Amino acid sequence: AKLGSIDLQNGIGGGSLLGQKRIDKFLGVDWTWERGSKRALRTQAARQAEAAAQADLEDTTLQQLTAAHAAFFDLLAAQERLLQVSALERSAAQLAATAARRVQAGDLAAQDAARTGIEAQRARADVLSAQLERQRAALALRQLTGWTLPADSLQARADWPGIGLDVALPDLAVAVQSRADVRAAQARLQAAQAALDGATALKRTDVTLGASVDHFPGTSTRLVEFRMQMPLQWGYGYEGEIGRAQAQLTQAQAAQEKVLRTATGEMQRLQFEALASAQRAQSYEADILPRARKVAEGAEMAYSKGAMSLTDLLDARRVLRTTQIEALAARTDAAKAAGAWQLRVRPETFLPHTTSTEFPK
């Protein structure tokens, strides 16, 4: 809309502004025909950028959930380790008290009693260390989950997952392509391609079509105009816009290839870690830990009957303590590796529950 042909020398006359004053009033509509599918390409680039952002959000959520999953089992392992070292500490304190009574009765050398006292002190130090480790694990889980519970009252209550895990992956390429980070990189690549196509389409001149009604008292009050116009772009082919879009496409291709290689390597690593950690935990649970317990029980019985020296008894206890800690670490690694594998292979099973305060089993 516009007002024009206003006579400043002779005046515009009297009467109403819209109907009688000598002012050329113009009201029209223009529509630009964007050739080369420019509009569709802009829309496609925006939608692919939206898809990439959504995939980034999904990947970030998955990473956060994986970290929380690992922190959960770290807390569970810290709690179990605290129980184990507390039991060992009570056993060591009981042995030291028994040794002290035997020294008073003249049945044990003072040096042996001192050794049992040292073992009891070391066991108490292990309890303090386990308490600190449990506090750290609780604080880490609290920070990852955003829970407001005090760290002292935060308890991990769950059964350990089964050690046997099926980590077979029929088609690695399909699993990699379904990852959120790979989908985000692919969407950015498609957005960059659409942007390049849009920049190339700028070479095709747009046409603007329009129509208007003109009202000029004294001349005519019913004038109609139809028009078609286009810009003249001689000597310029949008080389700068096309070159920038081409560079962005090259960057997107390199980023997509890098993400694809990284994702493939990570999937293979997660698969191997899940399998190896499960086998290691199974070995401790089925063979190593039962044998260590059997040896320790035999040593306790032999020492109580005087058939074993104190040195051999303490060695058997140290072996049992070390084996228990290693078995717990192996079980924790197996649980964390299994969770990380399942979250990557079947993320749709867990992501819908990320807003819940319940930890996925």
PDB file of all heavy atoms in Angstrom, residues 69-108:
ATOM      1  N   HIS A  69      23.953 -45.303  35.485  1.00  0.00           N
ATOM      2  CA  HIS A  69      23.951 -46.761  35.632  1.00  0.00           C
ATOM      3  C   HIS A  69      25.255 -47.246  36.252  1.00  0.00           C
ATOM      4  O   HIS A  69      25.252 -48.066  37.182  1.00  0.00           O
ATOM      5  CB  HIS A  69      23.733 -47.394  34.255  1.00  0.00           C
ATOM      6  CG  HIS A  69      23.701 -48.884  34.256  1.00  0.00           C
ATOM      7  ND1 HIS A  69      24.849 -49.650  34.194  1.00  0.00           N
ATOM      8  CD2 HIS A  69      22.667 -49.769  34.308  1.00  0.00           C
ATOM      9  CE1 HIS A  69      24.527 -50.926  34.206  1.00  0.00           C
ATOM     10  NE2 HIS A  69      23.213 -51.032  34.279  1.00  0.00           N
ATOM     11  N   ALA A  70      26.375 -46.726  35.765  1.00  0.00           N
ATOM     12  CA  ALA A  70      27.672 -47.116  36.314  1.00  0.00           C
ATOM     13  C   ALA A  70      27.817 -46.634  37.754  1.00  0.00           C
ATOM     14  O   ALA A  70      28.337 -47.364  38.617  1.00  0.00           O
ATOM     15  CB  ALA A  70      28.798 -46.553  35.440  1.00  0.00           C
ATOM     16  N   ALA A  71      27.363 -45.415  38.037  1.00  0.00           N
ATOM     17  CA  ALA A  71      27.459 -44.892  39.400  1.00  0.00           C
ATOM     18  C   ALA A  71      26.592 -45.687  40.368  1.00  0.00           C
ATOM     19  O   ALA A  71      26.951 -45.864  41.544  1.00  0.00           O
ATOM     20  CB  ALA A  71      27.050 -43.411  39.425  1.00  0.00           C
ATOM     21  N   PHE A  72      25.455 -46.161  39.888  1.00  0.00           N
ATOM     22  CA  PHE A  72      24.582 -46.986  40.730  1.00  0.00           C
ATOM     23  C   PHE A  72      25.298 -48.258  41.176  1.00  0.00           C
ATOM     24  O   PHE A  72      25.278 -48.622  42.355  1.00  0.00           O
ATOM     25  CB  PHE A  72      23.299 -47.319  39.967  1.00  0.00           C
ATOM     26  CG  PHE A  72      22.391 -48.276  40.678  1.00  0.00           C
ATOM     27  CD1 PHE A  72      21.507 -47.837  41.646  1.00  0.00           C
ATOM     28  CD2 PHE A  72      22.434 -49.633  40.388  1.00  0.00           C
ATOM     29  CE1 PHE A  72      20.676 -48.726  42.309  1.00  0.00           C
ATOM     30  CE2 PHE A  72      21.601 -50.527  41.050  1.00  0.00           C
ATOM     31  CZ  PHE A  72      20.725 -50.069  42.003  1.00  0.00           C
ATOM     32  N   PHE A  73      25.934 -48.943  40.243  1.00  0.00           N
ATOM     33  CA  PHE A  73      26.615 -50.185  40.603  1.00  0.00           C
ATOM     34  C   PHE A  73      27.909 -49.909  41.362  1.00  0.00           C
ATOM     35  O   PHE A  73      28.371 -50.769  42.129  1.00  0.00           O
ATOM     36  CB  PHE A  73      26.865 -51.031  39.360  1.00  0.00           C
ATOM     37  CG  PHE A  73      25.638 -51.746  38.888  1.00  0.00           C
ATOM     38  CD1 PHE A  73      24.940 -51.312  37.779  1.00  0.00           C
ATOM     39  CD2 PHE A  73      25.164 -52.853  39.572  1.00  0.00           C
ATOM     40  CE1 PHE A  73      23.790 -51.961  37.353  1.00  0.00           C
ATOM     41  CE2 PHE A  73      24.026 -53.513  39.157  1.00  0.00           C
ATOM     42  CZ  PHE A  73      23.336 -53.064  38.045  1.00  0.00           C
ATOM     43  N   ASP A  74      28.508 -48.744  41.159  1.00  0.00           N
ATOM     44  CA  ASP A  74      29.642 -48.374  42.009  1.00  0.00           C
ATOM     45  C   ASP A  74      29.196 -48.243  43.469  1.00  0.00           C
ATOM     46  O   ASP A  74      29.905 -48.678  44.387  1.00  0.00           O
ATOM     47  CB  ASP A  74      30.250 -47.056  41.526  1.00  0.00           C
ATOM     48  CG  ASP A  74      31.083 -47.235  40.266  1.00  0.00           C
ATOM     49  OD1 ASP A  74      31.523 -48.375  40.006  1.00  0.00           O
ATOM     50  OD2 ASP A  74      31.280 -46.251  39.540  1.00  0.00           O
ATOM     51  N   LEU A  75      28.029 -47.629  43.668  1.00  0.00           N
ATOM     52  CA  LEU A  75      27.514 -47.507  45.032  1.00  0.00           C
ATOM     53  C   LEU A  75      27.145 -48.871  45.603  1.00  0.00           C
ATOM     54  O   LEU A  75      27.431 -49.167  46.769  1.00  0.00           O
ATOM     55  CB  LEU A  75      26.299 -46.575  45.043  1.00  0.00           C
ATOM     56  CG  LEU A  75      25.592 -46.399  46.390  1.00  0.00           C
ATOM     57  CD1 LEU A  75      26.549 -45.866  47.445  1.00  0.00           C
ATOM     58  CD2 LEU A  75      24.381 -45.490  46.242  1.00  0.00           C
ATOM     59  N   LEU A  76      26.504 -49.705  44.790  1.00  0.00           N
ATOM     60  CA  LEU A  76      26.142 -51.039  45.253  1.00  0.00           C
ATOM     61  C   LEU A  76      27.386 -51.844  45.622  1.00  0.00           C
ATOM     62  O   LEU A  76      27.413 -52.548  46.649  1.00  0.00           O
ATOM     63  CB  LEU A  76      25.341 -51.765  44.171  1.00  0.00           C
ATOM     64  CG  LEU A  76      24.738 -53.127  44.542  1.00  0.00           C
ATOM     65  CD1 LEU A  76      23.751 -52.989  45.694  1.00  0.00           C
ATOM     66  CD2 LEU A  76      24.057 -53.754  43.331  1.00  0.00           C
ATOM     67  N   ALA A  77      28.438 -51.739  44.811  1.00  0.00           N
ATOM     68  CA  ALA A  77      29.689 -52.449  45.109  1.00  0.00           C
ATOM     69  C   ALA A  77      30.355 -51.874  46.358  1.00  0.00           C
ATOM     70  O   ALA A  77      30.919 -52.625  47.170  1.00  0.00           O
ATOM     71  CB  ALA A  77      30.635 -52.354  43.915  1.00  0.00           C
ATOM     72  N   ALA A  78      30.299 -50.558  46.524  1.00  0.00           N
ATOM     73  CA  ALA A  78      30.897 -49.943  47.714  1.00  0.00           C
ATOM     74  C   ALA A  78      30.176 -50.388  48.976  1.00  0.00           C
ATOM     75  O   ALA A  78      30.804 -50.636  50.021  1.00  0.00           O
ATOM     76  CB  ALA A  78      30.862 -48.425  47.588  1.00  0.00           C
ATOM     77  N   GLN A  79      28.854 -50.504  48.893  1.00  0.00           N
ATOM     78  CA  GLN A  79      28.097 -50.989  50.053  1.00  0.00           C
ATOM     79  C   GLN A  79      28.471 -52.431  50.389  1.00  0.00           C
ATOM     80  O   GLN A  79      28.666 -52.780  51.556  1.00  0.00           O
ATOM     81  CB  GLN A  79      26.591 -50.887  49.766  1.00  0.00           C
ATOM     82  CG  GLN A  79      26.097 -49.458  49.672  1.00  0.00           C
ATOM     83  CD  GLN A  79      24.643 -49.379  49.243  1.00  0.00           C
ATOM     84  OE1 GLN A  79      24.093 -48.297  49.115  1.00  0.00           O
ATOM     85  NE2 GLN A  79      24.014 -50.509  48.996  1.00  0.00           N
ATOM     86  N   GLU A  80      28.583 -53.271  49.369  1.00  0.00           N
ATOM     87  CA  GLU A  80      28.922 -54.675  49.611  1.00  0.00           C
ATOM     88  C   GLU A  80      30.351 -54.808  50.116  1.00  0.00           C
ATOM     89  O   GLU A  80      30.641 -55.643  50.992  1.00  0.00           O
ATOM     90  CB  GLU A  80      28.721 -55.486  48.336  1.00  0.00           C
ATOM     91  CG  GLU A  80      28.859 -56.977  48.547  1.00  0.00           C
ATOM     92  CD  GLU A  80      28.300 -57.780  47.386  1.00  0.00           C
ATOM     93  OE1 GLU A  80      27.333 -57.313  46.754  1.00  0.00           O
ATOM     94  OE2 GLU A  80      28.822 -58.882  47.127  1.00  0.00           O
ATOM     95  N   ARG A  81      31.251 -53.988  49.589  1.00  0.00           N
ATOM     96  CA  ARG A  81      32.634 -54.039  50.067  1.00  0.00           C
ATOM     97  C   ARG A  81      32.705 -53.595  51.533  1.00  0.00           C
ATOM     98  O   ARG A  81      33.472 -54.160  52.323  1.00  0.00           O
ATOM     99  CB  ARG A  81      33.519 -53.140  49.211  1.00  0.00           C
ATOM    100  CG  ARG A  81      34.982 -53.159  49.636  1.00  0.00           C
ATOM    101  CD  ARG A  81      35.850 -52.365  48.678  1.00  0.00           C
ATOM    102  NE  ARG A  81      37.249 -52.447  49.041  1.00  0.00           N
ATOM    103  CZ  ARG A  81      37.858 -51.599  49.874  1.00  0.00           C
ATOM    104  NH1 ARG A  81      37.150 -50.612  50.416  1.00  0.00           N
ATOM    105  NH2 ARG A  81      39.131 -51.738  50.162  1.00  0.00           N
ATOM    106  N   LEU A  82      31.900 -52.612  51.904  1.00  0.00           N
ATOM    107  CA  LEU A  82      31.869 -52.179  53.296  1.00  0.00           C
ATOM    108  C   LEU A  82      31.401 -53.312  54.205  1.00  0.00           C
ATOM    109  O   LEU A  82      31.943 -53.514  55.307  1.00  0.00           O
ATOM    110  CB  LEU A  82      30.961 -50.962  53.436  1.00  0.00           C
ATOM    111  CG  LEU A  82      30.811 -50.373  54.846  1.00  0.00           C
ATOM    112  CD1 LEU A  82      32.162 -49.974  55.415  1.00  0.00           C
ATOM    113  CD2 LEU A  82      29.857 -49.187  54.827  1.00  0.00           C
ATOM    114  N   LEU A  83      30.400 -54.066  53.748  1.00  0.00           N
ATOM    115  CA  LEU A  83      29.933 -55.202  54.532  1.00  0.00           C
ATOM    116  C   LEU A  83      31.023 -56.268  54.656  1.00  0.00           C
ATOM    117  O   LEU A  83      31.219 -56.862  55.733  1.00  0.00           O
ATOM    118  CB  LEU A  83      28.680 -55.803  53.886  1.00  0.00           C
ATOM    119  CG  LEU A  83      27.427 -54.929  53.884  1.00  0.00           C
ATOM    120  CD1 LEU A  83      26.294 -55.634  53.133  1.00  0.00           C
ATOM    121  CD2 LEU A  83      26.996 -54.593  55.305  1.00  0.00           C
ATOM    122  N   GLN A  84      31.745 -56.509  53.567  1.00  0.00           N
ATOM    123  CA  GLN A  84      32.786 -57.533  53.591  1.00  0.00           C
ATOM    124  C   GLN A  84      33.933 -57.153  54.530  1.00  0.00           C
ATOM    125  O   GLN A  84      34.358 -57.956  55.364  1.00  0.00           O
ATOM    126  CB  GLN A  84      33.320 -57.769  52.176  1.00  0.00           C
ATOM    127  CG  GLN A  84      32.326 -58.441  51.238  1.00  0.00           C
ATOM    128  CD  GLN A  84      32.886 -58.597  49.838  1.00  0.00           C
ATOM    129  OE1 GLN A  84      33.989 -58.132  49.539  1.00  0.00           O
ATOM    130  NE2 GLN A  84      32.138 -59.272  48.981  1.00  0.00           N
ATOM    131  N   VAL A  85      34.436 -55.936  54.405  1.00  0.00           N
ATOM    132  CA  VAL A  85      35.573 -55.534  55.239  1.00  0.00           C
ATOM    133  C   VAL A  85      35.136 -55.380  56.696  1.00  0.00           C
ATOM    134  O   VAL A  85      35.946 -55.581  57.617  1.00  0.00           O
ATOM    135  CB  VAL A  85      36.205 -54.237  54.712  1.00  0.00           C
ATOM    136  CG1 VAL A  85      36.785 -54.448  53.318  1.00  0.00           C
ATOM    137  CG2 VAL A  85      35.216 -53.084  54.712  1.00  0.00           C
ATOM    138  N   SER A  86      33.862 -55.047  56.925  1.00  0.00           N
ATOM    139  CA  SER A  86      33.379 -54.977  58.312  1.00  0.00           C
ATOM    140  C   SER A  86      33.375 -56.362  58.941  1.00  0.00           C
ATOM    141  O   SER A  86      33.757 -56.528  60.121  1.00  0.00           O
ATOM    142  CB  SER A  86      31.977 -54.365  58.352  1.00  0.00           C
ATOM    143  OG  SER A  86      31.993 -53.028  57.885  1.00  0.00           O
ATOM    144  N   ALA A  87      32.945 -57.356  58.157  1.00  0.00           N
ATOM    145  CA  ALA A  87      32.979 -58.728  58.673  1.00  0.00           C
ATOM    146  C   ALA A  87      34.418 -59.175  58.924  1.00  0.00           C
ATOM    147  O   ALA A  87      34.715 -59.825  59.944  1.00  0.00           O
ATOM    148  CB  ALA A  87      32.286 -59.663  57.688  1.00  0.00           C
ATOM    149  N   LEU A  88      35.321 -58.829  58.019  1.00  0.00           N
ATOM    150  CA  LEU A  88      36.729 -59.176  58.225  1.00  0.00           C
ATOM    151  C   LEU A  88      37.306 -58.446  59.435  1.00  0.00           C
ATOM    152  O   LEU A  88      38.133 -59.003  60.166  1.00  0.00           O
ATOM    153  CB  LEU A  88      37.526 -58.853  56.967  1.00  0.00           C
ATOM    154  CG  LEU A  88      37.209 -59.692  55.721  1.00  0.00           C
ATOM    155  CD1 LEU A  88      37.982 -59.164  54.521  1.00  0.00           C
ATOM    156  CD2 LEU A  88      37.549 -61.157  55.970  1.00  0.00           C
ATOM    157  N   GLU A  89      36.879 -57.221  59.634  1.00  0.00           N
ATOM    158  CA  GLU A  89      37.369 -56.451  60.783  1.00  0.00           C
ATOM    159  C   GLU A  89      36.908 -57.080  62.092  1.00  0.00           C
ATOM    160  O   GLU A  89      37.679 -57.176  63.062  1.00  0.00           O
ATOM    161  CB  GLU A  89      36.878 -55.014  60.668  1.00  0.00           C
ATOM    162  CG  GLU A  89      37.500 -54.065  61.678  1.00  0.00           C
ATOM    163  CD  GLU A  89      36.696 -53.961  62.973  1.00  0.00           C
ATOM    164  OE1 GLU A  89      35.497 -54.279  62.925  1.00  0.00           O
ATOM    165  OE2 GLU A  89      37.277 -53.588  64.013  1.00  0.00           O
ATOM    166  N   ARG A  90      35.658 -57.533  62.132  1.00  0.00           N
ATOM    167  CA  ARG A  90      35.176 -58.207  63.352  1.00  0.00           C
ATOM    168  C   ARG A  90      35.935 -59.506  63.597  1.00  0.00           C
ATOM    169  O   ARG A  90      36.280 -59.833  64.750  1.00  0.00           O
ATOM    170  CB  ARG A  90      33.684 -58.472  63.210  1.00  0.00           C
ATOM    171  CG  ARG A  90      32.825 -57.204  63.268  1.00  0.00           C
ATOM    172  CD  ARG A  90      31.357 -57.555  63.407  1.00  0.00           C
ATOM    173  NE  ARG A  90      30.875 -58.295  62.229  1.00  0.00           N
ATOM    174  CZ  ARG A  90      30.331 -57.719  61.164  1.00  0.00           C
ATOM    175  NH1 ARG A  90      30.239 -56.382  61.109  1.00  0.00           N
ATOM    176  NH2 ARG A  90      29.888 -58.441  60.157  1.00  0.00           N
ATOM    177  N   SER A  91      36.202 -60.237  62.515  1.00  0.00           N
ATOM    178  CA  SER A  91      36.949 -61.489  62.672  1.00  0.00           C
ATOM    179  C   SER A  91      38.371 -61.226  63.151  1.00  0.00           C
ATOM    180  O   SER A  91      38.895 -61.945  64.019  1.00  0.00           O
ATOM    181  CB  SER A  91      36.960 -62.247  61.347  1.00  0.00           C
ATOM    182  OG  SER A  91      37.717 -63.437  61.444  1.00  0.00           O
ATOM    183  N   ALA A  92      38.997 -60.174  62.594  1.00  0.00           N
ATOM    184  CA  ALA A  92      40.364 -59.844  63.020  1.00  0.00           C
ATOM    185  C   ALA A  92      40.396 -59.368  64.459  1.00  0.00           C
ATOM    186  O   ALA A  92      41.320 -59.700  65.225  1.00  0.00           O
ATOM    187  CB  ALA A  92      40.935 -58.775  62.090  1.00  0.00           C
ATOM    188  N   ALA A  93      39.394 -58.569  64.856  1.00  0.00           N
ATOM    189  CA  ALA A  93      39.338 -58.104  66.248  1.00  0.00           C
ATOM    190  C   ALA A  93      39.131 -59.283  67.211  1.00  0.00           C
ATOM    191  O   ALA A  93      39.723 -59.337  68.297  1.00  0.00           O
ATOM    192  CB  ALA A  93      38.209 -57.081  66.401  1.00  0.00           C
ATOM    193  N   GLN A  94      38.294 -60.227  66.796  1.00  0.00           N
ATOM    194  CA  GLN A  94      38.060 -61.407  67.635  1.00  0.00           C
ATOM    195  C   GLN A  94      39.332 -62.232  67.770  1.00  0.00           C
ATOM    196  O   GLN A  94      39.674 -62.723  68.856  1.00  0.00           O
ATOM    197  CB  GLN A  94      36.941 -62.245  67.033  1.00  0.00           C
ATOM    198  CG  GLN A  94      36.580 -63.473  67.860  1.00  0.00           C
ATOM    199  CD  GLN A  94      35.452 -64.270  67.226  1.00  0.00           C
ATOM    200  OE1 GLN A  94      34.965 -63.928  66.164  1.00  0.00           O
ATOM    201  NE2 GLN A  94      35.061 -65.359  67.894  1.00  0.00           N
ATOM    202  N   LEU A  95      40.090 -62.378  66.654  1.00  0.00           N
ATOM    203  CA  LEU A  95      41.344 -63.120  66.710  1.00  0.00           C
ATOM    204  C   LEU A  95      42.355 -62.412  67.596  1.00  0.00           C
ATOM    205  O   LEU A  95      43.094 -63.057  68.366  1.00  0.00           O
ATOM    206  CB  LEU A  95      41.901 -63.292  65.298  1.00  0.00           C
ATOM    207  CG  LEU A  95      43.233 -64.066  65.196  1.00  0.00           C
ATOM    208  CD1 LEU A  95      43.059 -65.493  65.713  1.00  0.00           C
ATOM    209  CD2 LEU A  95      43.722 -64.063  63.752  1.00  0.00           C
ATOM    210  N   ALA A  96      42.403 -61.078  67.517  1.00  0.00           N
ATOM    211  CA  ALA A  96      43.339 -60.334  68.363  1.00  0.00           C
ATOM    212  C   ALA A  96      42.977 -60.471  69.836  1.00  0.00           C
ATOM    213  O   ALA A  96      43.862 -60.605  70.698  1.00  0.00           O
ATOM    214  CB  ALA A  96      43.341 -58.862  67.947  1.00  0.00           C
ATOM    215  N   ALA A  97      41.681 -60.434  70.139  1.00  0.00           N
ATOM    216  CA  ALA A  97      41.275 -60.594  71.537  1.00  0.00           C
ATOM    217  C   ALA A  97      41.612 -61.986  72.050  1.00  0.00           C
ATOM    218  O   ALA A  97      42.083 -62.160  73.193  1.00  0.00           O
ATOM    219  CB  ALA A  97      39.768 -60.326  71.659  1.00  0.00           C
ATOM    220  N   THR A  98      41.396 -62.989  71.211  1.00  0.00           N
ATOM    221  CA  THR A  98      41.740 -64.353  71.598  1.00  0.00           C
ATOM    222  C   THR A  98      43.248 -64.507  71.821  1.00  0.00           C
ATOM    223  O   THR A  98      43.696 -65.159  72.772  1.00  0.00           O
ATOM    224  CB  THR A  98      41.259 -65.344  70.531  1.00  0.00           C
ATOM    225  OG1 THR A  98      39.845 -65.190  70.348  1.00  0.00           O
ATOM    226  CG2 THR A  98      41.577 -66.778  70.930  1.00  0.00           C
ATOM    227  N   ALA A  99      44.010 -63.884  70.934  1.00  0.00           N
ATOM    228  CA  ALA A  99      45.471 -63.948  71.078  1.00  0.00           C
ATOM    229  C   ALA A  99      45.929 -63.272  72.360  1.00  0.00           C
ATOM    230  O   ALA A  99      46.857 -63.748  73.040  1.00  0.00           O
ATOM    231  CB  ALA A  99      46.128 -63.308  69.865  1.00  0.00           C
ATOM    232  N   ALA A 100      45.287 -62.167  72.716  1.00  0.00           N
ATOM    233  CA  ALA A 100      45.667 -61.476  73.957  1.00  0.00           C
ATOM    234  C   ALA A 100      45.396 -62.355  75.167  1.00  0.00           C
ATOM    235  O   ALA A 100      46.216 -62.413  76.116  1.00  0.00           O
ATOM    236  CB  ALA A 100      44.898 -60.162  74.069  1.00  0.00           C
ATOM    237  N   ARG A 101      44.274 -63.068  75.169  1.00  0.00           N
ATOM    238  CA  ARG A 101      43.984 -63.958  76.280  1.00  0.00           C
ATOM    239  C   ARG A 101      44.979 -65.128  76.331  1.00  0.00           C
ATOM    240  O   ARG A 101      45.397 -65.572  77.418  1.00  0.00           O
ATOM    241  CB  ARG A 101      42.562 -64.482  76.174  1.00  0.00           C
ATOM    242  CG  ARG A 101      41.500 -63.398  76.429  1.00  0.00           C
ATOM    243  CD  ARG A 101      40.121 -64.026  76.614  1.00  0.00           C
ATOM    244  NE  ARG A 101      39.685 -64.729  75.404  1.00  0.00           N
ATOM    245  CZ  ARG A 101      38.955 -64.154  74.453  1.00  0.00           C
ATOM    246  NH1 ARG A 101      38.627 -62.866  74.541  1.00  0.00           N
ATOM    247  NH2 ARG A 101      38.570 -64.861  73.403  1.00  0.00           N
ATOM    248  N   ARG A 102      45.363 -65.617  75.163  1.00  0.00           N
ATOM    249  CA  ARG A 102      46.320 -66.724  75.136  1.00  0.00           C
ATOM    250  C   ARG A 102      47.692 -66.279  75.622  1.00  0.00           C
ATOM    251  O   ARG A 102      48.433 -67.072  76.228  1.00  0.00           O
ATOM    252  CB  ARG A 102      46.413 -67.292  73.717  1.00  0.00           C
ATOM    253  CG  ARG A 102      45.141 -68.005  73.262  1.00  0.00           C
ATOM    254  CD  ARG A 102      45.296 -68.557  71.863  1.00  0.00           C
ATOM    255  NE  ARG A 102      46.355 -69.558  71.790  1.00  0.00           N
ATOM    256  CZ  ARG A 102      46.741 -70.166  70.658  1.00  0.00           C
ATOM    257  NH1 ARG A 102      46.113 -69.856  69.511  1.00  0.00           N
ATOM    258  NH2 ARG A 102      47.706 -71.063  70.673  1.00  0.00           N
ATOM    259  N   VAL A 103      48.055 -65.031  75.350  1.00  0.00           N
ATOM    260  CA  VAL A 103      49.334 -64.521  75.859  1.00  0.00           C
ATOM    261  C   VAL A 103      49.303 -64.469  77.377  1.00  0.00           C
ATOM    262  O   VAL A 103      50.272 -64.834  78.074  1.00  0.00           O
ATOM    263  CB  VAL A 103      49.630 -63.128  75.265  1.00  0.00           C
ATOM    264  CG1 VAL A 103      50.805 -62.464  75.984  1.00  0.00           C
ATOM    265  CG2 VAL A 103      49.939 -63.262  73.783  1.00  0.00           C
ATOM    266  N   GLN A 104      48.184 -64.012  77.958  1.00  0.00           N
ATOM    267  CA  GLN A 104      48.060 -63.963  79.408  1.00  0.00           C
ATOM    268  C   GLN A 104      48.116 -65.355  80.026  1.00  0.00           C
ATOM    269  O   GLN A 104      48.629 -65.542  81.141  1.00  0.00           O
ATOM    270  CB  GLN A 104      46.747 -63.276  79.793  1.00  0.00           C
ATOM    271  CG  GLN A 104      46.695 -61.809  79.417  1.00  0.00           C
ATOM    272  CD  GLN A 104      45.360 -61.174  79.761  1.00  0.00           C
ATOM    273  OE1 GLN A 104      44.451 -61.863  80.243  1.00  0.00           O
ATOM    274  NE2 GLN A 104      45.243 -59.876  79.515  1.00  0.00           N
ATOM    275  N   ALA A 105      47.602 -66.337  79.268  1.00  0.00           N
ATOM    276  CA  ALA A 105      47.637 -67.721  79.778  1.00  0.00           C
ATOM    277  C   ALA A 105      48.959 -68.408  79.494  1.00  0.00           C
ATOM    278  O   ALA A 105      49.169 -69.554  79.902  1.00  0.00           O
ATOM    279  CB  ALA A 105      46.492 -68.523  79.168  1.00  0.00           C
ATOM    280  N   GLY A 106      49.851 -67.723  78.774  1.00  0.00           N
ATOM    281  CA  GLY A 106      51.146 -68.316  78.460  1.00  0.00           C
ATOM    282  C   GLY A 106      51.097 -69.316  77.330  1.00  0.00           C
ATOM    283  O   GLY A 106      52.028 -70.108  77.163  1.00  0.00           O
ATOM    284  N   ASP A 107      50.011 -69.285  76.507  1.00  0.00           N
ATOM    285  CA  ASP A 107      49.841 -70.258  75.434  1.00  0.00           C
ATOM    286  C   ASP A 107      50.271 -69.707  74.075  1.00  0.00           C
ATOM    287  O   ASP A 107      50.282 -70.435  73.094  1.00  0.00           O
ATOM    288  CB  ASP A 107      48.365 -70.687  75.379  1.00  0.00           C
ATOM    289  CG  ASP A 107      48.148 -71.838  74.410  1.00  0.00           C
ATOM    290  OD1 ASP A 107      49.047 -72.682  74.283  1.00  0.00           O
ATOM    291  OD2 ASP A 107      47.085 -71.878  73.755  1.00  0.00           O
ATOM    292  N   LEU A 108      50.627 -68.424  74.003  1.00  0.00           N
ATOM    293  CA  LEU A 108      50.974 -67.802  72.729  1.00  0.00           C
ATOM    294  C   LEU A 108      52.041 -66.758  72.971  1.00  0.00           C
ATOM    295  O   LEU A 108      52.038 -66.060  73.998  1.00  0.00           O
ATOM    296  CB  LEU A 108      49.739 -67.135  72.092  1.00  0.00           C
ATOM    297  CG  LEU A 108      49.921 -66.561  70.696  1.00  0.00           C
ATOM    298  CD1 LEU A 108      50.137 -67.690  69.687  1.00  0.00           C
ATOM    299  CD2 LEU A 108      48.692 -65.738  70.282  1.00  0.00           C
TER     300      LEU A 108
END
